[in-house]
Amino acid sequence: PEEWRDIGSGLPKPRYVVINGISVAQKFCSTCAIYRPPRSKHCAFCNNCVLRFDHHCSWIGNCVGLRNYRYFFLFISSTAILLGIVLWVTAETIRRDTEQRRADDGFLAILIVLIQDPILLARGLYFLLALGIFVALALLTWYHITVIAVNLTTNEHIKDYYEGIDGDRHNPFDERGWLGNCTQVCCQPEKLPRGYWSYSEPRNMLGSPPSDY
């Protein structure tokens, strides 16, 4: 019906889904010709709507969303652990190989030995490179642990989707605790939240609907 269309764009107006007593807007995607499901977003790089859109990752050349988020998290966390082991082994080999050739245990003495031996110097540079990557991956892993614990996506967290008109945050997908959220995200990502049903008119809105929902 015409009353369901926006006068300016001619596209269907947003519809609303009530989740745990909170109305969440669903915008119509003109490219995919569908109403975007809750937590979905149209990716300009992949040119399609992605369920539970987290972010588009340039490193893997794909979107991270509903069906591959837990594998992405496993990938970055296991890589961080692997780099931690590599750092420990590299540090131990440097310590062992410089033990007989340095005057004391000070950093300057170790540095002098490294400069004198090209192979040891290469190991030291490798250690610094691995350390930088490890710190970045460890921080990324910790960030995703925090958003999993509150059942948010990266997109939702950065854009602060669920900030209410009173300044409080009302996440309709919160499973009432970090354990429930971790279980839902990592073990049952396809599970619909409690109290999920369609509703055609806005009620109990969180201010204005998210712009790209």
Side-chain angles (χ1 to χ4, degrees):
E2 289 301 320
E3 60 268 20
W4 286 83
R5 293 186 176 274
D6 183 76
I7 297 176
S9 64
L11 295 174
K13 292 180 181 179
R15 68 182 185 183
Y16 301 89
V17 173
V18 177
I19 302 174
N20 289 328
I22 299 173
S23 295
V24 178
Q26 289 183 276
K27 288 191 70 176
F28 185 82
C29 179
S30 57
T31 304
C32 300
I34 61 168
Y35 274 101
R36 296 173 191 154
R39 316 190 90 175
S40 300
K41 185 179 184 295
H42 187 89
C43 176
F45 297 99
C46 299
N47 197 31
N48 59 264
C49 289
V50 180
L51 286 168
R52 200 186 182 278
F53 179 84
D54 191 83
H55 68 285
H56 182 89
C57 181
S58 301
W59 298 105
I60 64 175
N62 199 8
C63 278
V64 177
L66 177 71
R67 294 185 176 90
N68 65 349
Y69 177 78
R70 48 187 168 178
Y71 304 114
F72 171 79
F73 176 73
L74 182 63
F75 168 66
I76 61 173
S77 57
S78 60
T79 304
I81 293 171
L82 174 62
L83 276 174
I85 297 172
V86 168
L87 285 171
W88 179 76
V89 172
T90 305
E92 279 297 302
T93 57
I94 292 175
R95 184 195 64 79
R96 183 194 62 194
D97 292 344
T98 59
E99 199 170 30
Q100 302 297 327
R101 300 162 60 179
R102 50 190 161 89
D104 53 58
D105 292 332
F107 174 76
L108 185 59
I110 297 175
L111 184 61
I112 292 173
V113 175
L114 290 177
I115 294 174
Q116 293 173 345
D117 190 326
I119 295 178
L120 284 176
L121 180 61
R123 287 188 198 173
L125 294 175
Y126 174 77
F127 177 84
L128 293 177
L129 175 63
L131 179 63
I133 300 174
F134 169 76
V135 170
L137 276 175
L139 291 174
L140 182 62
T141 300
W142 178 251
Y143 171 78
H144 280 281
I145 289 173
T146 58
V147 294
I148 287 173
V150 294
N151 207 335
L152 287 174
T153 66
T154 301
N155 186 53
E156 291 168 345
H157 180 256
I158 291 175
K159 297 188 177 179
D160 224 355
Y161 274 162
Y162 305 122
E163 184 172 359
I165 55 177
D166 56 354
D168 294 331
R169 286 168 175 78
H170 308 277
N171 180 7
F173 302 97
D174 190 357
E175 293 290 329
R176 299 174 187 172
W178 66 269
L179 184 59
N181 288 329
C182 291
T183 302
Q184 194 272 323
V185 174
C186 298
C187 303
Q188 300 172 311
E190 297 87 2
K191 176 187 173 185
L192 291 175
R194 302 180 305 275
Y196 181 103
W197 70 89
S198 295
Y199 191 72
S200 59
E201 296 294 335
R203 182 178 65 180
N204 192 23
M205 286 303 298
L206 308 175
S208 58
S211 60
D212 54 0
Y213 241 32

